[in-house]
Amino acid sequence: MDTGDGTPLKMREPESPEDDRSGAMGGDASGIGPARSRPTTSLSRELIGQYGPHKHVPLGPGEQELVGTIDKSRSRYPYAIVWTPLPLITWLIPFIGHMGICDSEGRVYDFAGPYMINEDGMAFSEPTRYLTLDPSKATRTTWNQGVDIGNMVYSKRMHNLCCDNCHSHAARCLDEMGYLGFSNWNMVILCFWMLFAGRWVSFGKMVQSWAPFCLILGVILVLKYGTA
């Protein structure tokens, strides 16, 4: 399963093809809706049947009560949502970028394109921001199980830049695990959560993210007022 080189992750087939069709998911246009209003995957039903909705779920094997060790040199951010700039788009709108979600060992998974989930290597570049979450706040499944289910669902979905994208994939994973007992995670919430609460990997990564926007803004200001 771990290719180690950022190649697309080959996901296992669901027991029923009905479970993971995007048209059968319900919810809003992003594919992220209330968990009770859409059909769940067969794995979701098995896990919810075992633990019940909105109850504390014991951490699975390898999932530690304390947040795992961050290893920035290897881009490993356990129990975190991570973010990196999108060429051109982030240069113009600096709070919009590419998002992934990490498992308990810090391996990042991101919805990189149609029917494609990358493992342990983000599309575009390494993370520049991260937001560490608390795995004990998962109420429907363990953290890793929620990530696994979200990966399976989005490995069957077409990528839509505006409506069903990398942020939607991370939100679906949080939906499946019932993070904070909430089942309406979506791209807007995660976008602004990362903007206001995310931490920069380093000063250099912050410069990498903001420099193109500042440069473009500076050129515009010079052209507009420089000759006044």
Side-chain angles (χ1 to χ4, degrees):
M1 180 176 179
D2 186 356
T3 61
D5 59 2
T7 54
L9 175 67
K10 295 182 179 179
M11 309 304 296
R12 59 182 177 272
E13 294 292 333
E15 293 181 12
S16 170
E18 295 291 329
D19 291 331
D20 285 300
R21 280 191 217 157
S22 58
M25 289 297 167
D28 60 19
S30 68
I32 308 301
R36 291 183 295 275
S37 67
R38 65 168 185 263
T40 55
T41 63
S42 56
L43 181 55
S44 296
R45 287 194 296 269
E46 178 184 344
L47 294 170
I48 294 170
Q50 179 178 354
Y51 295 116
H54 306 305
K55 296 179 181 178
H56 177 76
V57 179
L59 298 177
E63 294 186 309
Q64 306 297 320
E65 283 289 351
L66 297 177
V67 174
T69 303
I70 292 174
D71 186 348
K72 295 181 180 180
S73 65
R74 300 172 60 207
S75 294
R76 293 291 179 92
Y77 302 90
Y79 308 115
I81 299 169
V82 292
W83 183 94
T84 195
L86 276 171
L88 298 179
I89 296 177
T90 306
W91 299 355
L92 301 175
I93 311 174
F95 59 86
I96 294 180
H98 182 63
M99 181 171 285
I101 188 168
C102 302
D103 63 16
S104 61
E105 296 181 8
R107 289 186 296 263
V108 60
Y109 300 87
D110 64 314
F111 185 37
Y115 317 111
M116 183 169 67
I117 301 292
N118 280 341
E119 179 182 7
D120 207 17
M122 289 187 80
F124 305 107
S125 69
E126 296 178 348
T128 61
R129 301 191 81 176
Y130 64 97
L131 178 61
T132 301
L133 305 182
D134 184 351
S136 69
K137 303 298 184 183
T139 60
R140 298 178 69 208
T141 72
T142 68
W143 179 276
N144 282 346
Q145 288 167 338
V147 172
D148 186 45
I149 296 169
N151 288 342
M152 285 193 292
V153 170
Y154 270 80
S155 69
K156 302 294 183 181
R157 299 185 82 141
M158 174 61 71
H159 189 280
N160 184 307
L161 184 62
C162 297
C163 300
D164 202 11
N165 52 39
C166 54
H167 288 62
S168 305
H169 162 250
R172 182 59 182 263
C173 294
L174 295 181
D175 266 358
E176 292 293 347
M177 68 180 72
Y179 191 72
L180 296 177
F182 188 57
S183 58
N184 288 289
W185 295 101
N186 58 57
M187 67 178 77
V188 176
I189 294 174
L190 295 191
C191 175
F192 286 99
W193 197 11
M194 179 64 74
L195 175 65
F196 293 112
R199 302 184 64 179
W200 293 104
V201 171
S202 66
F203 179 77
K205 294 294 187 181
M206 181 180 68
V207 172
Q208 173 190 336
S209 300
W210 280 92
F213 171 77
C214 293
L215 180 61
I216 293 172
L217 180 61
V219 170
I220 293 173
L221 293 176
V222 168
L223 292 176
K224 183 174 179 64
Y225 300 108
T227 58

